[in-house]
Each structure stands twice: as C-alpha cells, then as structure tokens.
Amino acid sequence: MLAMATDTDTLTLNILLLGGPQSGKSATGNTLLGSHEFESRPSLGSVTQSCQLLGKTFPRYLRRQGGEAALSVRVLDTPACPHCLLSDGDVQRAVGDAVARRGRVHLVLLVLRADVPLCGVDRHAVWLAQELFGPEWTTHALIVFTHRDTLERAGAEEEEYLRRASGMVRELLDSVRLRHHFVDNSAVWLRTEGKPLLDKLLDLSRQNKYRELPLKDSF
C-alpha cells in the first residue's frame, strides 16, 4: 500500500506520473528510480497500456530527526491521456482504481516534451488530474519537461525556451507556482540525472508537510 512510512529511518514518497502519448512518462519513472524497469521506447502509439507501480529505496539519502534516513520512492506509471486505444474515461477509471487500491499519492508529475513546439498544452492530462484530485492537485504538482538533450543540441536555454511558450503553457506553470524541471531521459547515468529531480520533489513534499493527496469523493 502506498503510504508515507512511519519509521523515522525511512521516508516514502509516492509519485504519480501523468502525460500524453510519447511524452516520456515511463522514461521519467526510470530516471527517478535510476534504472530501466519501466518499458520505454519510441512508438507510433502509446506504449504503456496499464498502470504499473515500481519502487526503490535509496539508503542514507537525507537527514531526519537528527539522523540519517532512507528515501523510499514509489512511482506509479499510467497510460497516456489521451490514449490511442482507451477513452479518457477508461484512463481515468484505471488510474483512479490504481491509486485507490495502492494508497494515496504525495506528488503529481505532469510530463511534457521539450523537443516539440510549446504552442499549446495537451489539456487531457490536466483534465485527468483535476478529475481525480480536484484543484488541490496543483499544490502537489511539478511539471517535468523531457528531452532536454534536444534543447542542448539546438543551443537553446531552458528559461528562454519557456519565455517563448504559449499562454496556455505559462498559465499551467503559474498554476503550479512555476515548479518545473528539465530532464535528459537518455542520460547514461540515470541516478545522477534523477537526483536533482528527487531533491525538488522531496522539498515540495516537505512544504506540504508530507500530506497525501486524496482522491475526490465523487470518483
């Protein structure tokens, strides 16, 4: 069951990944875990067909109550929304059921691609978060922009890239108080790439006093 550990030697963070097809959700899950356990590959359609929960414990990751503590990361990967084979309603029910069975989540990662023009934002994943959790989801959310390596090869600066984004993207960033992170999911050393993101998520959860994000009663 997904829940924050009560053992002072271990802190558990439950992370939910949401995003559109080929956005890099599964690759981001691998980056967080420092491994290649989630299936992630180029495809003309959606690779992830069902919810999958994977976890990893990082010993002596942080200090808590005056001593060293481990960080247990549990990542719930989800089908894309929109999905080429499933309706938005099907995806909503699948994700909601998975969260209900396995416990609540602490953090929502909305995954977007940085290697495509940010002329708009796919509203489906935003709609899904809103339907599952209500407006409170934004206080537990961070936007992950994948394919940072493409920007680097093009000589583009991250902040300049965001300044040129559409009004919808800026509106989304404003809704999560500008919390975002760029990742290179192709990096050889995933653990090195994932640690800065984990640190941001740990800080956000700390700001929320490690509260879980409950499902809406109407779900």
Side-chain angles (χ1 to χ4, degrees):
M1 178 177 179
L2 294 182
M4 193 177 77
T6 57
D7 185 348
T8 57
D9 293 335
T10 303
L11 176 68
T12 298
L13 292 183
N14 305 317
I15 301 169
L16 176 67
L17 301 175
L18 299 178
Q22 293 293 298
S23 60
K25 287 187 293 78
S26 299
T28 298
N30 288 334
T31 298
L32 287 167
L33 299 176
S35 64
H36 293 278
E37 296 182 66
F38 288 117
E39 183 180 6
S40 176
R41 56 181 169 80
S43 173
L44 294 177
S46 302
V47 174
T48 303
Q49 303 296 323
S50 60
C51 295
Q52 184 180 13
L53 176 68
L54 293 174
K56 186 170 184 179
T57 298
F58 299 91
R60 299 184 299 278
Y61 191 92
L62 69 155
R63 294 194 63 81
R64 190 167 183 234
Q65 297 184 8
E68 291 185 329
L71 177 64
S72 177
V73 178
R74 298 179 181 180
V75 181
L76 183 63
D77 193 14
T78 62
C81 188
H83 196 280
C84 58
L85 299 177
L86 304 172
S87 70
D88 286 357
D90 289 337
V91 174
Q92 178 192 358
R93 285 186 288 275
V95 177
D97 287 345
V99 173
R101 287 197 314 270
R102 296 162 179 172
R104 306 294 170 79
V105 300
H106 298 103
L107 301 155
V108 176
L109 267 61
L110 186 63
V111 184
L112 304 175
R113 292 184 65 139
D115 63 339
V116 297
L118 288 182
C119 55
V121 148
D122 197 318
R123 298 280 187 176
H124 292 257
V126 176
W127 167 85
L128 177 57
Q130 183 77 20
E131 288 299 304
L132 291 172
F133 304 111
E136 190 181 356
W137 80 272
T138 58
T139 64
H140 293 250
L142 180 144
I143 299 173
V144 173
F145 292 98
T146 60
H147 298 79
R148 188 191 67 216
D149 52 311
T150 303
L151 294 186
E152 293 175 347
R153 287 195 298 270
E157 297 290 337
E158 294 174 4
E159 296 308 316
E160 176 63 22
Y161 180 77
L162 291 178
R163 280 195 294 271
R164 295 185 178 184
S166 71
M168 285 187 292
V169 175
R170 290 194 295 271
E171 178 184 339
L172 179 59
L173 282 166
D174 287 341
S175 72
V176 299
R177 299 185 181 180
L178 304 180
R179 292 186 296 267
H180 68 278
H181 189 79
F182 285 81
V183 295
D184 176 5
N185 299 117
S186 68
V188 175
W189 298 103
L190 291 181
R191 184 174 300 182
T192 302
E193 185 69 20
K195 188 177 186 306
L197 177 55
L198 280 176
D199 288 345
K200 283 187 179 181
L201 295 176
L202 186 60
D203 184 61
L204 174 56
S205 187
R206 187 181 295 116
Q207 292 176 34
N208 287 325
K209 300 181 179 179
Y210 305 108
R211 288 183 297 107
E212 298 169 339
L213 185 60
L215 286 166
K216 287 171 61 176
D217 292 337
S218 59
F219 173 76

